[in-house]
Structures are given as structure tokens and as C-alpha cells.
Amino acid sequence: MSQYSRAYPRYSAVLASKQRSIPTFKGVDDVCSSADVFGCDTFNYHEMSKTLPDSDVKLLKEYAVMGGEISLELANRVALAVKQWATAKGATHYTHWFQPQTESTAEKHDAFLNVDVGMKAIEKFTGELLVRQEPDASSFPSGGRRATFEARGYTVWDASSFMFLASTENGKTLTIPSLFISYSGEALDTKTPLLRSIRCLNQEAVKALSLMEDETSYVTVNCGPEQEFFVIDAALYNLRPDLVLAGKTVLGAPPQKGQQLDDHYFGPINARVINMMMEVEHELMRLGVPIKTRHNEVAPSQFEMAPVYEEANIAADHNRLLMAVLRKVAQKHNLAVLFHEKPFAELNGSGKHLNWSLSKDDGTNLLQPGDKPQENIRFLYFLAAAVKAVHDNGDLLRVSVAVPGNDFRMGSNEAPPAVMSVFLGETLSKVVSNLKAGKRMSSEGSSSDTIDLDIAKIPVIDKDNTDRNRTSPFAFTGNKFEFRALGSSQSISIPITYLNAAITQSLCDMNTYLEAKLAGGASRDQAVLDTVVKAFVDSQAVCFDGDSYDVEWEKEASKRGLSNLRTTPEALEVLTHDNVVDLFVRLGIMSHKQEIMARYNVFMERYVKLRLIELEVAQELLLTQVYPAALSYQQSWASSLSAVAGVLGRPPSAQKKEFEGYVSSVDALSSAMQELGGVIAKVYKLGDGKEAAEYIASEALEALDRARALADKLETVVEDGLWALPRYRELLFSL
Ligand code: ADP
Ligand code: MG
């Protein structure tokens, strides 16, 4: 075979991707309506009611909002009922499904099948098996909290999230959402701290309402995450080891056409992709995940799906399911989904906007300005608490989104910067500044942008007005906050947990202040407004309605004393700060400092390991793909030149000059590769902690950038038939 066979797999993959047929899915024709299908594979309250007494269903409903204990008797009855339901639908196995501190979920399946003494098969599932399992946990990250010899961690049923049937072509598994805890009771997962944060925020919010004489039995945290991702053809994906192993391209020259024409955003969705999405939605519908929106995103081959918002713990489980089902169904459609925050250089990366709000037991949204004065006072109280949270604990919000892939987005011109600020919009900002100025509006005043301190009049807040600024990391959007700094690959549990913690603390401070005012004899409305004003005045520095992408904002933010933690290793240090440790421990979200330090270690190690994969994949691709292609081209060019020189008696001058330039580029690549080798060796020497992480963030990535720039330049010069790696234009425009 000639050397040009190098590009054959690439050409064939491009052709294959154009010739794919679109798989259909079972059930597509007999779907009556979404309502019939919704949740049909979940053991929801409706299913429970068919076999469990009403009193049991009531207990489970109460547990879902208040937490508490589930008795073994109740667990036994639920186990029996769910076994009957699941096996009748074809399930053969069950598994606890949990969320260790990795990017994916974990499960270990057990058959219902047991054999009795007479060798007769029986199906067994008890309350004990439902409530608690002991997987061998030695290989999950624990940040040094468990030595391998004491590997016993256990998983505990989370009765607040419905069990569901995970289906494959050949069978079904009863899947039980679970917590993952060490033998000594420390949280080893992302769900346990999330649940704790929801409970403590509930407590403080209920207390705030009761101080305002607005009773509710509980307050719910609601979240709606907007998931962004790229979709590319599977054959092309498989020819890119960097995508397969690191989730992102570490090399690749940007195509002449990227996103500059703005022709992808909200355009018609590609046929292969929309058909895949439809199957994803159908499968998620069965699992009770209410997917609501789908659309093209800014970059070519980039998309977004979002559910109807749900209670935070359920939203977090469902986002994990969305990601898992997308991955699985995409494979069936010969597609690959990329959740990495920055799979392609010079194109927009992917994030995950987290919409967040609080509601009362009757569903009233606490971040919704209302018609009645009391409702507006309440609204201002919770609004102020959120602003104060970003002010007092901005660093905590920053570290909640510190995942390695996000470093390539945060602060560049497409994603909110690493400075945490709040956008309130023109109308609300005016309301707040009037409040701070103590402006009273007399009863004859009807101007819509001022507030009457006596009756707390708030003008209607136009959604368009609040939604115009897309550059703020934390924006008020009419009746909720949108935390926009999340990375697309991350579990939303950690950002919600940290945000809940920060808001609980604000509410706690405000409640204390309010209680003191009330004790001092102030009228309730005046005391509440005083508390609100104080919170806004104290948090002034963090409010910013301008363009957060503007470099001027960075300077201004620094003057205002706001921190700007650009890289993951820098941001992770926040977890070691005394105020953060105190906050987590005081609120009971973590048990003690060591538990937080364990997380710090896990995140730091993860940063180093992921970056090492990127560095090493790049090194190998340069060595085995780019460099050999460059040398082959050099050789054929050299032979051609010398042949021509033999005929003419002298080399053709322009070609010779160009060739010399080319040779020096290849030479520069060779040096850069050696440099990269040295950098990787140094990372290994530094270990997998802070020192290595800092070295990577400051120097190693720069060495990679230098090598990449040379390789990407060569990609645009070397003869196409010698180039084996699918190019950006093929990855992004072949569907
Ligand atoms: P955008 O216009 O910002 O792209 P989308 O419609 O894509 O908005 O997504 C908005 C998300 O916000 C959805 O998941 C939606 O359910 C969620 N959302 C709406 N209202 C609330 C609320 N009160 N609390 C939390 N999330 C909400
Ligand atoms: Mg959206």
C-alpha cells in the first residue's frame, strides 16, 4: 500500500457518516400521548398506591420532603411491592445506583434469583437489601479517607427519588437511587451533601417565612439545568484518540468556517440529531424525566436540551440520567455525544446553565414578585439573600464549578468569567438602589420604578429586561436565578450544594438581624425592609449589570475586591479556607474538616490525572501521527526538489525557499515535542497533588499549546492524503 493509505480511514469515515440510515425505536408508533408514557418505568406514587396501603405512600411522600427514618417494616413492604412491579415488567436484576466523586454514576447488579435448599429458584428482595448494600468500595476516590484494607463503604436507598427500570435491548434492571457513605458515616458521593444542603436551606427558609408571618411546612429548592453538548459521527469520533480518551481534541487546525456566520444557533436541527434526540426524549419520558426544550447551540454540531425544572435532588438524578441516556442512544444512532466543556479550540465550549429557585409547600415561587405588598417584601428578602450569598461566598460558588474542562471556558469570550457577580437587570437594580437610598414614595406617586417603603410596591418585572444580559455568571431572570458558570460535564449536585450552603448562611444572618430588629420593637414590615436594605448595602460590590466579558470589568472587579480565580488548582484552595470549612461543618453538610480535605484531594488529583491524559494523548498523536505525516511530506518534497534540480542543474528558487521554511517548521515541532516529553516527566515527578496541578496550570499547558500551534500549522500545509486524523471541518460538518 502506498503511504497515501494513511488518509483512507478518514475519507471512508466521512463517506460513511453521510450514508447512515436513521434507526427507529420500538414503541414509536404506538405512543398514544406523552402523558401515557411519562414515568411508566418508574415506581412512582401512582404505582405504589396499587399495592401499598395509603398510609405507606403517605409516609414515603413525607420522607421525600422532610427526610427522616424509614422503618424496616416499611422497607420490607416497599421491597415486596417493588419486586412484584419490576419482575412483572421483566426485570431480572436490581442495583443500587450511586454517584461517587467521579463524573459518572456507579452500579453493581444483583439477580433477584435465589435458589432454595431444594434447588428451587425463588425471587428474593427484602427491605434490608433495598435499604442498604455493601459494594466493594476500595476503588472509588476517597481522597485518602479510606485505606484499601478498610474499603467498606455502603450504599443507602434514597427514598426521595423514584426507583426506575433501566432497559437495554435484552433485559431490565430495577435501579435504586442511593447515597454512598463510608463505614464511619462520611459522605463519599455527591448526593449526600446535596441532600444535607437541601434540608438545611429548607430549615432556614421556613424560619425566614415564619418571621415574616408567612407559614409553610417546607421550602423546596427547584432546579432546571440546560445541558449543552456536541454531537459528531461515531466513525470520525473513533478515529480521534484524543476525543475517545480525553473527551476533547488536543490538536486540530480551526476550519475556515466555524461559527462566525451565526448560522447554527437556533437553526433547524440536523435530521440524524433530532431523530436521536427524539429517542432520548422517549426513553427519558418513560423514566419520568420531563425534557422540555431542544435546540441548536452556537457552535456547529452543538446542541442543548433542558427539562422542566424539578426538586433539586430529583433534578440532579435526572441530569445524570439525561447524560447517560444521551450517550447510550447516540451510540445506537452511530453518533457520539461530547460533554466536555471545550472539545474544540476556537469554537464555543459547552456549559450547563443551572436555573434555581425556592418555593413554598403550596408551590408559590419565593423569587416571584407578586401583586400584594407582603409578597413583594418576601420576594425582596429572598432576592437579597441570594445577592448576599454571592457577595459573602462568591469563592464558594467559583470552586463549585472548578472542573478541569471549565478552565478552557471561564473568562474567555463565550462563558461567564471567573469573577462571581450578580446581574439584577435595570428595573430591579433601580428598586434596590431606591431602597438603599431610603427613598420613600408617597401614595400619590405612581412612577413604576420606585418603591414605597410602606407597601413595597414593585413594578412588574419584564422577563426580557432581566434576560438580556447573557454574560453574567449569576443572573436574575424574572423569577429565578440562572447560575451560568457550570461546566457541561459536571454533576449539578456540587454547584447546587454550595449555592444552597451560601444562601442558607445569608438567610441565617438575615434572620438573626431581623429577629433583633423585631425584638427591638420595630414593626414587622419595617424590620424586614431594614434587613433587606442592610443585605443589599453590604453586598453592593457584587452587583454588576454591565458586560462581564469586558476586560474593563476585570479591572473594576479587582478594585471592588472581588476575587478572580482563573484555574481549577487556584479555585480548589478555597476549600481549605477556614470560613468555608466552618460553614460546611456548621451547616452539617460535611461532618468535619478532614471530610472536606478529602474532597479537595480528590478534585486536585482528578485535575492532575485528566490533564496528564490530555498531555500524553497529545504527545502520542504528535509522535505517531503528525510527525510521521510531516516527515513523509518532507521526504517527497525533498525528492521532488532534487529531481527537478537534477534536470535544471539548479533547484527552483521559490520552491527551495518554501521548503526551507517547511523544514524549520518540522524542526520546531521536533523541539516542541521534546519539550513536551520533559514537561510530562516533570509532572510525574511532582506527584498528583497541588504542586503538580499548579505546574500543569502554569507551565505544562503552555508547552502543549506551543506544540499544538506548530502541529496545527503543519496540518494546513501537509498533503491531505497523508493526514490520518479527521479534521475539524469533518468532525463538525459531516452529519
Ligand atoms: P433559556 O431561555 O435560558 O435558554 P430554557 O427554556 O432553555 O431557557 O431553560 C430554562 C430552564 O429553567 C428550564 O429547565 C426551566 O424549567 C427552568 N426554570 C423555569 N422556571 C424555573 C424556576 N422557577 N426555578 C427553577 N428553574 C426554572
Ligand atoms: Mg436554553
Side-chain angles (χ1 to χ4, degrees):
M1 268 207 282
S2 91
Q3 58 180 344
Y4 299 113
S5 62
R6 228 195 276 272
Y8 287 169
R10 195 184 114 220
Y11 294 149
S12 334
V14 172
L15 280 181
S17 74
K18 289 283 178 201
Q19 290 163 354
R20 307 270 194 208
S21 57
I22 290 175
T24 52
F25 58 94
K26 214 161 77 184
V28 71
D29 290 328
D30 48 45
V31 172
C32 311
S33 76
S34 304
D36 290 336
V37 179
F38 188 74
C40 68
D41 281 343
T42 62
F43 192 57
N44 55 24
Y45 295 128
H46 178 68
E47 284 303 325
M48 290 178 198
S49 304
K50 291 184 185 166
T51 37
L52 287 170
D54 289 350
S55 53
D56 282 358
V57 179
K58 186 163 169 271
L59 283 173
L60 289 166
K61 281 184 179 168
E62 278 168 12
Y63 178 88
V65 285
M66 308 303 271
E69 293 281 318
I70 299 238
S71 70
L72 189 57
E73 294 75 35
L74 174 58
N76 273 325
R77 290 194 293 276
V78 176
L80 188 65
V82 76
K83 186 194 79 180
Q84 278 168 1
W85 171 79
T87 52
K89 280 177 151 285
T92 53
H93 288 65
Y94 62 90
T95 180
H96 271 196
W97 177 69
F98 57 103
Q99 304 171 12
Q101 298 170 73
T102 63
E103 286 301 303
S104 62
T105 54
E107 52 197 42
K108 180 191 165 229
H109 300 201
D110 271 284
F112 286 116
L113 178 76
N114 271 274
V115 181
D116 71 7
V117 278
M119 291 310 282
K120 186 167 166 294
I122 46 167
E123 278 176 335
K124 190 176 152 205
F125 190 55
T126 61
E128 255 170 74
L129 292 171
L130 166 63
V131 170
R132 185 174 146 147
Q133 310 250 312
E134 273 192 49
D136 174 5
S138 55
S139 295
F140 290 111
S142 72
R145 293 305 294 154
R146 282 166 309 122
T148 308
F149 65 88
E150 51 181 22
R152 285 164 68 186
Y154 56 89
T155 53
V156 180
W157 172 37
D158 169 17
S160 56
S161 183
F162 295 144
M163 291 181 258
F164 59 90
L165 293 177
S167 307
T168 69
E169 279 72 14
N170 296 332
K172 292 183 179 168
T173 305
L174 173 66
T175 306
I176 306 163
S178 300
L179 313 165
F180 181 38
I181 299 171
S182 80
Y183 195 63
S184 49
E186 289 158 338
L188 295 172
D189 63 352
T190 57
K191 191 190 251 286
T192 309
L194 171 63
L195 284 172
R196 291 175 184 162
S197 77
I198 290 170
R199 307 246 152 91
C200 64
L201 177 49
N202 167 42
Q203 254 176 26
E204 215 51 58
V206 168
K207 178 168 174 192
L209 287 169
S210 112
L211 289 171
M212 288 183 258
E213 292 186 343
D214 189 348
E215 300 306 324
T216 181
S217 49
Y218 58 88
V219 164
T220 307
V221 183
N222 300 305
C223 292
E226 301 167 43
Q227 179 71 55
E228 292 182 347
F229 52 91
F230 280 83
V231 179
I232 63 173
D233 185 82
L236 289 160
Y237 170 83
N238 285 319
L239 288 175
R240 292 287 312 212
D242 46 359
L243 283 177
V244 173
L245 297 178
K248 63 170 289 197
T249 55
V250 293
L251 304 173
Q256 292 76 5
K257 176 180 186 291
Q259 62 194 48
Q260 68 268 48
L261 299 180
D262 292 325
D263 51 355
H264 193 255
Y265 192 51
F266 281 10
I269 304 176
N270 172 281
R272 287 182 64 192
V273 176
I274 194 160
N275 277 289
M276 181 270 285
M277 282 174 161
M278 285 167 170
E279 184 165 351
V280 168
E281 285 160 355
H282 177 76
E283 203 164 301
L284 287 171
M285 186 85 81
R286 298 180 67 98
L287 297 173
V289 183
I291 297 299
K292 178 89 170 158
T293 66
R294 47 164 122 106
H295 62 81
N296 278 7
E297 261 301 329
V298 171
S301 277
Q302 192 187 25
F303 306 90
E304 180 187 297
M305 290 172 89
V308 177
Y309 68 91
E310 298 175 283
E311 187 278 324
N313 175 40
I314 307 297
D317 281 0
H318 284 178
N319 182 249
R320 296 280 198 154
L321 277 178
L322 166 72
M323 293 171 82
V325 171
L326 256 170
R327 266 198 204 97
K328 186 184 85 172
V329 174
Q331 217 168 12
K332 180 177 154 193
H333 286 246
N334 290 304
L335 293 167
V337 171
L338 312 178
F339 288 117
H340 194 282
E341 284 78 10
K342 191 74 177 176
F344 302 102
E346 306 215 6
L347 291 173
N348 267 18
S350 299
K352 182 145 55 187
H353 294 177
L354 179 75
N355 295 273
W356 181 99
S357 69
L358 297 172
S359 59
K360 283 174 49 169
D361 56 8
D362 61 2
T364 309
N365 181 351
L366 296 170
L367 287 173
Q368 175 91 52
D371 305 330
K372 303 190 192 89
Q374 266 342 69
E375 288 171 358
N376 284 329
I377 292 186
R378 180 180 73 196
F379 161 72
L380 287 172
Y381 199 84
F382 285 94
L383 184 80
V387 173
K388 183 171 157 57
V390 182
H391 177 265
D392 297 356
N393 281 296
D395 284 354
L396 195 56
L397 298 190
R398 171 63 186 93
V399 69
S400 80
V401 295
V403 292
N406 228 5
D407 288 9
F408 298 112
R409 294 172 65 239
M410 303 268 282
S412 53
N413 247 10
E414 55 169 277
V419 181
M420 293 295 131
S421 64
V422 186
F423 170 87
L424 289 177
E426 202 182 319
T427 316
L428 264 188
S429 293
K430 219 171 235 174
V431 169
V432 169
S433 73
N434 283 346
L435 265 178
K436 286 194 297 206
K439 256 193 210 169
R440 295 178 70 95
M441 200 185 74
S442 59
S443 48
E444 74 269 12
S446 57
S447 155
S448 65
D449 59 3
T450 51
I451 185 161
D452 184 332
L453 282 187
D454 294 320
I455 59 160
K457 204 185 276 172
I458 291 180
V460 176
I461 291 160
D462 184 359
K463 169 129 176 26
D464 288 344
N465 170 27
T466 59
D467 209 24
R468 244 176 256 148
N469 185 328
R470 308 293 283 177
T471 65
S472 174
F474 200 80
F476 182 72
T477 53
N479 60 2
K480 59 184 164 67
F481 277 97
E482 193 169 328
F483 186 14
R484 301 201 176 116
L486 277 73
S488 49
S489 74
Q490 65 175 132
S491 151
I492 60 174
S493 302
I494 291 176
I496 306 176
T497 304
Y498 293 11
L499 176 59
N500 286 352
I503 293 192
T504 306
Q505 184 56 47
S506 305
L507 283 173
C508 188
D509 293 344
M510 287 170 69
N511 289 348
T512 308
Y513 188 81
L514 173 56
E515 279 177 307
K517 284 266 163 191
L518 290 171
S523 78
R524 194 162 306 275
D525 286 358
Q526 192 61 49
V528 174
L529 278 172
D530 284 351
T531 310
V532 167
V533 169
K534 177 171 169 27
F536 280 128
V537 169
D538 292 349
S539 313
Q540 196 158 328
V542 89
C543 294
F544 179 65
D545 279 3
D547 179 0
S548 303
Y549 295 177
D550 193 337
V551 281
E552 289 305 311
W553 165 234
E554 268 190 55
K555 292 183 204 153
E556 164 71 16
S558 142
K559 273 193 218 140
R560 293 191 190 185
L562 303 177
S563 48
N564 187 0
L565 306 168
R566 289 170 190 283
T567 67
T568 293
E570 255 181 287
L572 288 178
E573 289 307 312
V574 170
L575 292 177
T576 67
H577 295 170
D578 287 344
N579 61 324
V580 167
V581 172
D582 283 354
L583 174 67
F584 280 138
V585 175
R586 192 160 11 93
L587 299 181
I589 292 172
M590 306 277 178
S591 342
H592 43 71
K593 179 163 185 175
Q594 289 81 347
E595 199 182 333
I596 301 161
M597 290 314 295
R599 285 189 184 244
Y600 166 86
N601 291 336
V602 167
F603 297 144
M604 201 62 97
E605 195 180 313
R606 192 174 161 70
Y607 177 84
V608 174
K609 287 181 172 166
L610 282 172
R611 285 282 185 268
L612 255 180
I613 294 173
E614 289 166 17
L615 291 165
E616 291 191 309
V617 170
Q619 186 191 37
E620 189 183 305
L621 287 181
L622 291 168
L623 212 65
T624 63
Q625 303 266 9
V626 176
Y627 196 53
L631 291 184
S632 294
Y633 188 47
Q634 185 171 263
Q635 189 170 9
S636 69
W637 198 345
S639 323
S640 158
L641 271 183
S642 64
V644 174
V647 174
L648 299 181
R650 58 176 168 76
S653 61
Q655 287 182 44
K656 180 167 171 270
K657 194 159 172 245
E658 211 188 330
F659 181 64
E660 281 165 1
Y662 176 76
V663 173
S664 44
S665 304
V666 180
D667 224 35
L669 177 67
S670 172
S671 314
M673 282 158 57
Q674 279 166 36
E675 191 200 354
L676 188 61
V679 158
I680 292 171
K682 178 151 181 198
V683 174
Y684 274 107
K685 262 202 212 113
L686 292 174
D688 52 19
K690 179 180 171 185
E691 213 188 334
E694 282 173 349
Y695 171 70
I696 292 172
S698 62
E699 290 181 50
L701 289 183
E702 283 179 10
L704 175 55
D705 280 350
R706 281 193 291 276
R708 176 183 183 152
L710 292 162
D712 290 355
K713 187 84 199 32
L714 284 170
E715 185 187 329
T716 63
V717 178
V718 167
E719 187 181 342
D720 192 65
L722 294 169
W723 204 262
L725 287 175
R727 298 173 186 275
Y728 269 27
R729 66 161 185 268
E730 293 155 348
L731 295 168
L732 294 161
F733 294 102
S734 293
L735 293 182

